[in-house]
Structure formats: C-alpha cells, structure tokens
C-alpha cells in the first residue's frame, strides 16, 4: 500500500510527501509559494503518462530525446470544481519516430497503464493529441543545417 502524507506548514501552505519521501510544496494561489492542488492533479496525469510513453517507445527501440506534455483541464464552475475534461498535448522528438508508434504508446498509457488516468477517467473525459518534432528542430541552437 502506498502512503502519501500532507503536512501543514502555515496559512494555506502544505508539504506533500510521497511514499519514497520526496516532497512538493502546495499552496493556494494567494499564498504564491507552491503548486495548487488542482494543478497537481493535472501534473499527476501528465507525468504518469509521460513515464509510460517514454518506456513504451524505448521498448520499441524508438527512444525519445524530447518530451513535453501540456495538460489542460476544464472544471465545473461550482464547488467542488470537479474536472470534467482533461486534454494532454504531447510534443515528442526522437530519431525514426512514427505517428503510429507514438499514437499507440499514448493510447496504451491512457487505456492500460496510467493509474492516474484510470482513476480520473470516471469523472473527466480525457483527450490527447501529439506533435512529432522534425529532427532539425531537435538540434542545439546554431547547429541547424
């Protein structure tokens, strides 16, 4: 069983500690020092699927050299502000990536492996899109041909 803890610091500031003793600062926007708990949920969805996508593509011998995921969420306008839609936009780069392989990795993560997506899917509709960067875009500045 995984055990995570949240400890109150002061005001509306907290520290979240995961089961491996890593921590993150959380707060309300007016406190301005930590991540909003609702944003942390979006980060959890994105990071959970990121781990899967990296691993799946690596096993397909298509390792990534770039991955960025933007995650947006639409919430109800009234409390408890439930997320109803979550959209993930993947920007990936790597040698010999194919649209088919990237789409399959994202689909496998969302439908089979990502525990966070599986949990929030009961209330939030999750959608995805992706872009594969051209290899020229992946070269360091000044190195373009």
């Amino acid at each position: 069983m995984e055990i995570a803890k949240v400890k109150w610091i002061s005001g509306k500031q907290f520290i979240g500690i995961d089961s491996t003793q890593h921590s993150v600062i959380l707060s309300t926007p007016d406190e301005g020092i930590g991540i909003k708990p609702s944003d942390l949920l979006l980060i959890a969805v994105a990071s959970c699927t990121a781990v899967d996508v990296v691993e799946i593509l690596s096993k397909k011998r298509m390792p990534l050299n770039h991955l960025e995921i933007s995650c947006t969420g639409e919430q109800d306008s009234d409390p408890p502000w439930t997320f109803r839609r979550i959209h993930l936009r993947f920007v990936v780069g790597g040698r010999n990536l194919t649209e088919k392989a990237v789409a399959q990795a994202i689909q496998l993560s969302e439908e089979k492996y990502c525990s966070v997506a599986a949990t929030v899917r009961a209330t939030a509709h999750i959608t995805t899109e992706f872009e594969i960067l051209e290899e020229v875009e992946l070269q360091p500045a000044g190195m373009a041909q």
Side-chain angles (χ1 to χ4, degrees), residues 34-46:
I35 297 173
K36 286 177 21 184
S38 58
D39 284 352
L40 191 58
L41 178 68
L42 297 178
I43 291 169
V45 172

Side-chain angles (χ1 to χ4, degrees), residues 48-118:
C48 182
T49 195
V51 170
D52 297 335
V53 167
V54 167
E55 186 170 335
I56 291 165
L57 290 172
S58 178
K59 286 181 179 179
K60 289 179 174 280
R61 292 181 166 64
M62 295 181 175
L64 296 175
N65 57 25
H66 180 88
L67 172 63
E68 184 174 324
I69 304 170
S70 298
C71 187
T72 56
E74 293 179 25
Q75 294 174 269
D76 288 343
S77 56
D78 296 317
W81 304 283
T82 303
F83 280 97
R84 297 300 177 186
R85 294 184 184 277
I86 294 176
H87 183 74
L88 299 160
R89 183 176 189 284
F90 296 76
V91 178
V92 298
R95 191 172 295 275
N96 302 320
L97 289 176
T98 65
E99 287 196 14
K100 181 180 178 182
V102 173
Q104 184 182 41
I106 292 168
Q107 181 181 9
L108 281 169
S109 174
E110 183 186 338
E111 295 177 1
K112 186 173 183 180
Y113 296 115
C114 179
S115 61
V116 180

